[in-house]
Amino acid sequence: MSQLEPLIADLALILICAGVMTLLFKSLKQPIVLGYIVAGFLASPNMPYMPSVTDMHGIHLWSEIGVIFLLFALGLEFSFKKILKMGAAPIIAAISIILGMMYVGACTGELFGWKEMDCIYLGGMLAMSSTTIIFKAFDDMGLQQKRFASLVLSVLIIEDILAIVLMVMLSTLAVSKEFEGSQMLTSILQLALYLVLWFTVGLYLIPMALRKLKPLMNDETLLITALALCFGMVVAASAAGFSAAFGAFVMGSILAETVEAEKIEHLVAPVKNLFGAIFFVSVGMMVDVALIIEYIVPILCIIAAIMLGQTILSTGGFLLSGQSLKTSMQCSFSLTQIGEFAFILATLGTSLGVTSDFLYPIVVAVSVFTTFTTPYMIRLAEPAYNALARILPAKWMARLERNKDEKDEKAPDELQQLYNDCFKHFVFVMLINSVMCIAIMSIMFYYGQPLIADVVPAEWVHPVTALVALILCSPFLWMLLRAGGNSPEVDRLWNSGPRWRVRLTAYGVLRILITAVFVSYFVDYAMPWSSWLGMFALVAIICIIFNSSFLEKKSQKIEQHFTENLTAREKMNNRQQP
């Protein structure tokens, strides 16, 4: 009789346990994630009364694939346009909550004398509330349509994207073993550069490819193509020094802007559910009852830190963002738990070998407890508000109960709104085209120059490299210099008085200076020996770019194609609405 491979037998065991536990937790109307964790504990070597897995390395590998699919699915549900439409309130609240809870978590770890990396990672874990658990609680309690619920979900979206940034920062910190502000700033800038670059390139190329290949696409080929793009970006992100999960999220966010996004999300869901289940089961395998008993005091203190920290600091964060006291308290009481990202950060710390073994089971125990208490904390918000309203002076309550929707605020006039739109467009143009120029320069100087060196004399390598890079960058330099400058909106502002002319002139000068920085780098790289000749070349190149009708047509075509891809899904949804 043939013998099963250990990994297959282990897979059978964890899926059987997961199936039984999820059905049980579903019947008890509890989050299925908890069922997976309990299943992992039952199938782990820490449970002596049941069969246990034998190949932990294989399970760990599959759980890493589960993280990739979870982040890919999160990216598919994510939209940068949604972030821009949310306004400043959720962003202010999310940043305040994350910074405050990271500090609370780090201080809690220091209270017990844990090492620095344990404290930092604990702070990161406590800063992220669980989107899945909160959404489930709102759904079960019929609160989805409440104003505070939509605000909480907006904050959770911001937290998800900031969690990706946090993962990159903690990975960098784990490698360097020490906190250096300049190194962290460099890592964040690299992250932003990578994100904008791949989002821009991906959104320009991938929707076009999917449209051309649509006649060949059925469910099977679309699924394989989407997963190929996902794992291709995982490899690219890893090669660039980022985590695999970050690459999966980036590709998911790119595909989220395509017309095939909903279909891809539907096709990927079963695969995500399978590997996601394995990930959460592997989390449950880290539960050690002996460790939990040993660290019961830190567990209770961390639970108290989450409850008090979220209710107090989050209330302050929402108040800071302009919400009323009642809305702020309803939001903050909804966030008193940790979930998926806490597990992912715990897995990251364990895989990098920078966190202690006890931290993982502690975080799992805390997550299980706070998950059970989430519905009760949501219900407790209103009684807590009523009790606080009876204690606080009437003057304080009058100020804290301000409601932005009811305030008699002067809406920005038409010209101010027009100016705001032009400014946003200017920032968008500057960011996208600067990143594209930086990317082309990097590729040419690191990869193109060695190829050019093989075919031209040594003294011509730098000039030819700079010339080729300049030609490739020229459409983006034109957009950086002139895109949107001749629009009817800009003309109207220009003719509306000196106040607007001064601002538009300042933006025009800034655009010229940014373009000059890029062009001067090319000129200096090609002709470092002559300052006056370089200056003449700089002015000449900028004038050529500014007046080139060919570059104007080419740039407008690129911008039009990008805009069409960016708005294609939204237009399709509008057409489908009755």
Side-chain angles (χ1 to χ4, degrees):
M1 181 181 293
S2 62
Q3 188 172 0
L4 281 176
E5 290 291 329
L7 185 61
I8 299 176
D10 291 343
L11 180 62
L13 175 62
I14 63 176
L15 290 181
I16 290 171
C17 291
V20 173
M21 286 298 106
T22 51
L23 290 173
L24 175 62
F25 274 70
K26 185 73 174 177
S27 66
L28 296 174
K29 296 184 179 180
Q30 295 298 324
I32 291 178
V33 172
L34 291 181
Y36 291 140
I37 293 174
V38 173
F41 172 71
L42 295 176
S44 71
N46 297 321
M47 182 64 178
Y49 307 107
M50 288 188 63
S52 60
V53 299
T54 57
D55 186 3
M56 288 299 294
H57 174 73
I59 299 299
H60 177 69
L61 181 63
W62 282 29
S63 71
E64 288 186 351
I65 299 175
V67 173
I68 290 173
F69 279 115
L70 286 172
L71 269 294
F72 181 57
L74 177 65
L76 285 171
E77 298 172 359
F78 181 80
S79 173
F80 287 100
K81 288 185 292 184
K82 287 181 182 178
I83 298 294
L84 296 176
K85 291 178 181 178
M86 284 177 187
I91 298 175
I92 294 171
I95 293 175
S96 303
I97 292 167
I98 289 175
L99 293 177
M101 288 306 298
M102 285 189 70
Y103 181 75
V104 168
C107 289
T108 305
E110 288 181 1
L111 183 67
F112 295 101
W114 294 349
K115 65 181 185 180
E116 186 180 22
M117 292 303 292
D118 287 337
C119 296
I120 293 173
Y121 270 77
L122 178 63
M125 294 172 200
L126 266 58
M128 302 298 164
S129 299
S130 173
T131 305
T132 303
I133 294 167
I134 293 174
F135 186 84
K136 175 75 165 54
F138 284 164
D139 186 45
D140 292 343
M141 300 170 71
L143 299 174
Q144 304 98 315
Q145 304 304 319
K146 296 288 185 179
R147 182 177 179 274
F148 83 90
S150 63
L151 185 60
V152 168
L153 294 175
S154 298
V155 168
L156 289 171
I157 292 174
I158 306 294
E159 284 190 355
D160 287 341
I161 185 63
L162 292 178
I164 303 297
V165 178
L166 184 61
M167 285 175 59
V168 175
M169 292 177 63
L170 291 178
S171 300
T172 304
L173 188 60
V175 173
S176 64
K177 303 292 185 183
E178 58 184 6
F179 185 87
E180 293 184 5
S182 60
Q183 188 176 24
M184 281 296 166
L185 180 60
T186 301
S187 299
I188 293 173
L189 290 176
Q190 288 176 343
L191 171 69
L193 176 67
Y194 186 91
L195 190 64
V196 173
L197 171 64
W198 279 110
F199 184 77
T200 304
V201 174
L203 197 56
Y204 185 82
L205 296 177
I206 290 176
M208 178 176 61
L210 291 178
R211 281 197 300 270
K212 290 184 178 297
L213 297 173
K214 190 171 183 178
L216 304 175
M217 288 287 184
N218 56 21
D219 288 354
E220 181 179 358
T221 54
L222 181 59
L223 173 62
I224 298 301
T225 301
L227 295 185
L229 291 170
C230 170
F231 281 90
M233 185 61 77
V234 164
V235 173
S238 299
F242 298 109
S243 67
F246 174 68
F249 176 82
V250 171
M251 182 49 67
S253 63
I254 292 172
L255 291 174
E257 304 296 344
T258 67
V259 295
E260 304 289 347
E262 293 179 3
K263 191 171 184 180
I264 292 173
E265 189 177 347
H266 174 72
L267 293 173
V268 169
V271 185
K272 179 207 73 173
N273 291 339
L274 172 62
F275 285 98
I278 295 174
F279 168 71
F280 288 115
V281 168
S282 71
V283 170
M285 289 180 183
M286 300 298 293
V287 175
D288 188 336
V289 176
L291 269 177
I292 291 175
I293 295 173
E294 181 182 353
Y295 289 93
I296 188 64
V297 174
I299 289 173
L300 293 176
C301 289
I302 292 171
I303 291 171
I306 292 172
M307 298 294 184
L308 294 175
Q310 286 286 13
T311 52
I312 296 173
L313 295 177
S314 297
T315 298
F318 282 105
L319 285 172
L320 187 64
S321 69
Q323 306 305 314
S324 67
L325 178 61
K326 184 175 183 179
T327 300
S328 299
M329 291 185 67
Q330 288 175 317
C331 292
S332 62
F333 275 67
S334 303
L335 297 172
T336 53
Q337 76 293 119
I338 58 175
E340 306 83 42
F341 265 111
F343 301 146
I344 294 172
L345 287 177
T347 303
L348 177 66
T350 302
S351 63
L352 293 173
V354 295
T355 55
S356 302
D357 293 337
F358 62 79
L359 192 59
Y360 206 128
I362 284 178
V363 169
V364 173
V366 170
S367 175
V368 170
F369 182 86
T370 55
T371 297
F372 277 117
T373 58
T374 295
Y376 304 103
M377 291 298 294
I378 295 173
R379 293 190 184 100
L380 184 62
E382 195 158 342
Y385 165 76
N386 293 332
L388 189 61
R390 288 192 294 268
I391 297 172
L392 292 177
K395 276 187 179 181
W396 289 23
M397 286 301 300
R399 296 194 64 179
L400 291 173
E401 273 305 318
R402 68 194 188 280
N403 190 324
K404 286 189 71 176
D405 295 332
E406 296 174 1
K407 285 172 73 176
D408 186 21
E409 295 180 338
K410 286 182 68 177
D413 58 38
E414 189 178 355
L415 287 177
Q416 183 64 47
Q417 186 61 47
L418 195 62
Y419 167 77
N420 292 341
D421 294 339
C422 290
F423 177 75
K424 290 178 183 178
H425 183 260
F426 164 73
V427 173
F428 181 78
V429 167
M430 182 184 69
L431 179 64
I432 295 295
N433 291 289
S434 295
V435 168
M436 292 303 299
C437 289
I438 292 171
I440 292 171
M441 290 163 60
S442 302
I443 292 170
M444 282 302 304
F445 295 148
Y446 284 100
Y447 300 104
Q449 183 170 302
L451 298 176
I452 293 173
D454 293 336
V455 296
V456 302
E459 63 271 16
W460 286 99
V461 172
H462 278 210
V464 172
T465 303
L467 179 62
V468 174
L470 177 61
I471 292 172
L472 294 175
C473 287
S474 57
F476 305 104
L477 290 173
W478 187 93
M479 283 189 277
L480 190 58
L481 193 61
R482 293 193 58 184
N486 295 326
S487 65
E489 293 80 8
V490 171
D491 291 341
R492 183 180 173 190
L493 282 173
W494 183 265
N495 295 324
S496 297
R499 173 189 174 191
W500 309 108
R501 289 179 190 171
V502 170
R503 297 186 184 187
L504 293 174
T505 301
Y507 293 149
V509 172
L510 182 58
R511 295 175 76 161
I512 292 172
L513 291 176
I514 295 173
T515 307
V517 169
F518 285 110
V519 176
S520 63
Y521 188 87
F522 292 125
V523 172
D524 184 65
Y525 195 80
M527 300 181 296
W529 60 85
S530 177
S531 58
W532 67 267
L533 184 58
M535 184 61 67
F536 174 77
L538 173 65
V539 175
I541 291 170
I542 291 177
C543 290
I544 291 171
I545 292 174
F546 187 88
N547 293 293
S548 174
S549 58
F550 171 78
L551 289 179
E552 181 177 4
K553 293 177 183 178
K554 188 71 176 176
S555 301
Q556 288 175 348
K557 187 175 180 181
I558 293 173
E559 185 177 15
Q560 181 183 3
H561 182 73
F562 181 82
T563 304
E564 287 176 354
N565 288 343
L566 188 63
T567 58
R569 184 182 180 186
E570 188 176 356
K571 289 179 179 178
M572 183 189 71
N573 292 337
N574 291 337
R575 286 196 300 267
Q576 290 177 351
Q577 290 178 356

